[in-house]
Amino acid sequence: GSARAWIFTSATLSVKNKFDHYATQLGLDASKSLILSSPFDYAKQALLYVPRGLPLPSDLRYTDAVVDAALPLLEVSRGRAFFLCTTLRAVTRIALRLQQAIQTQGWDIPLLIQGEGSRNALLERFRTLGNAILIGSQSFWEGVDVRGKALSLVVIDKLPFASPDDPVLAARLDALEKAGQSPFHSYQVPQAAITLKQGAGRLIRSETDQGVLMMADSRMVDKPYGRQLWQSLPPFERTRDQDVARTFLQQC
């Protein structure tokens, strides 16, 4: 038959600058790959901030602790933020806590919450308002483009590991285990890295954008697999110091 070729392009499919994870899923063992560097100067335009002292995500106080850690940054940014959550339960809890905080502080910051309108309608309001906080889950992690000062802070509540309750995922992990592989390291971690990169990609959308990515989940720093996750992100400057993050935001 005639020769054929397939070309796959994406801003997020690589893990640690390799396409092995994606190629393996497709059964491709002789693929050619090319990674083209971004025109963005990530080291100057963005800062990755992982707060110290937060409990593990399994702790019942975790979601409240995420909001408490984000408030000092929101005080500086005056809104202009996305909260990207891994569950709808977190969306609801974070929205409630932020409503309380905004009222207590007397801030003039509008809240936009997933479910209160279509994705496009919420995004259009976010752009128009210019100082809002948008709280959403999976549908806001990718395919969302907000350029300029309206978005200067992205908060991710926890590492986006897929739920093992999904029967398709459970079958895939079982097959990997039967093949003698580690389902966690060979599938779940690379997949989380791709999803995390998609969420982080909401922050810098042009050569002039600036902002802070706050990753609340300290496992990205404290766990051995965390290195693979942050190395898969764009090369942001990194800090665990709240004052450094606040100072950076003041310039955004």
Side-chain angles (χ1 to χ4, degrees):
S2 59
R4 295 180 182 179
W6 289 264
I7 300 174
F8 302 91
T9 63
S10 169
T12 56
L13 284 180
S14 65
V15 178
K16 286 185 66 179
N17 291 315
K18 294 181 180 179
F19 292 100
D20 295 357
H21 176 66
Y22 182 71
T24 300
Q25 285 183 277
L26 294 184
L28 302 176
D29 56 8
S31 58
K32 295 180 180 179
S33 64
L34 172 67
I35 293 181
L36 301 173
S37 60
S38 170
F40 304 154
D41 188 347
Y42 285 115
K44 289 185 178 178
Q45 291 180 244
L47 180 72
L48 170 62
Y49 167 52
V50 181
R52 296 185 186 275
L54 266 67
L56 287 171
S58 56
D59 194 302
L60 293 175
R61 302 165 296 167
Y62 180 74
T63 304
D64 287 355
V66 171
V67 175
D68 291 340
L71 288 177
L73 273 62
L74 290 169
E75 182 182 24
V76 175
S77 70
R78 291 290 170 178
R80 305 189 295 134
F82 274 6
F83 267 76
L84 299 180
C85 305
T86 49
T87 63
L88 289 172
R89 183 182 299 133
V91 169
T92 302
R93 181 62 186 171
I94 287 172
L96 175 63
R97 284 295 316 280
L98 284 176
Q99 284 169 341
Q100 294 169 343
I102 288 169
Q103 189 172 12
T104 300
Q105 298 291 337
W107 292 340
D108 181 21
I109 298 176
L111 270 188
L112 305 175
I113 305 163
Q114 181 175 333
E116 292 184 342
S118 70
R119 186 174 83 154
N120 287 342
L122 288 173
L123 288 170
E124 191 54 42
R125 285 196 64 204
F126 184 88
R127 293 187 190 98
T128 303
L129 287 165
N131 70 327
I133 300 173
L134 190 153
I135 311 164
S137 61
Q138 287 176 328
S139 60
F140 288 92
W141 283 66
E142 56 183 309
V144 172
D145 187 49
V146 177
R147 302 183 183 206
K149 292 185 177 293
L151 179 59
S152 296
L153 172 64
V154 171
V155 180
I156 293 179
D157 73 330
K158 66 176 71 168
L159 293 175
F161 288 113
S163 171
D165 297 337
D166 176 1
V168 175
L169 175 61
R172 182 172 280 149
L173 300 183
D174 185 54
L176 286 168
E177 193 162 11
K178 287 177 179 175
Q181 298 184 46
S182 162
F184 183 70
H185 291 287
S186 64
Y187 185 83
Q188 288 171 285
V189 170
Q191 201 63 38
I194 290 171
T195 305
L196 185 62
K197 196 186 320 188
Q198 289 170 338
R202 299 317 99 211
L203 183 62
I204 304 299
R205 308 299 299 173
S206 75
E207 288 88 342
T208 56
D209 276 0
Q210 287 185 297
V212 170
L213 171 66
M214 175 180 143
M215 180 66 230
D217 193 335
S218 62
R219 291 178 297 175
M220 191 163 77
V221 176
D222 297 337
K223 297 292 185 182
Y225 58 79
R227 186 178 185 86
Q228 183 173 342
L229 295 171
W230 62 254
Q231 284 186 339
S232 295
L233 291 175
F236 299 160
E237 280 292 308
R238 301 189 300 273
T239 188
R240 302 206 70 182
D241 188 322
Q242 182 191 107
D243 289 337
V244 171
R246 282 166 57 93
T247 300
F248 193 96
L249 267 175
Q250 285 171 349
Q251 304 162 8
C252 298

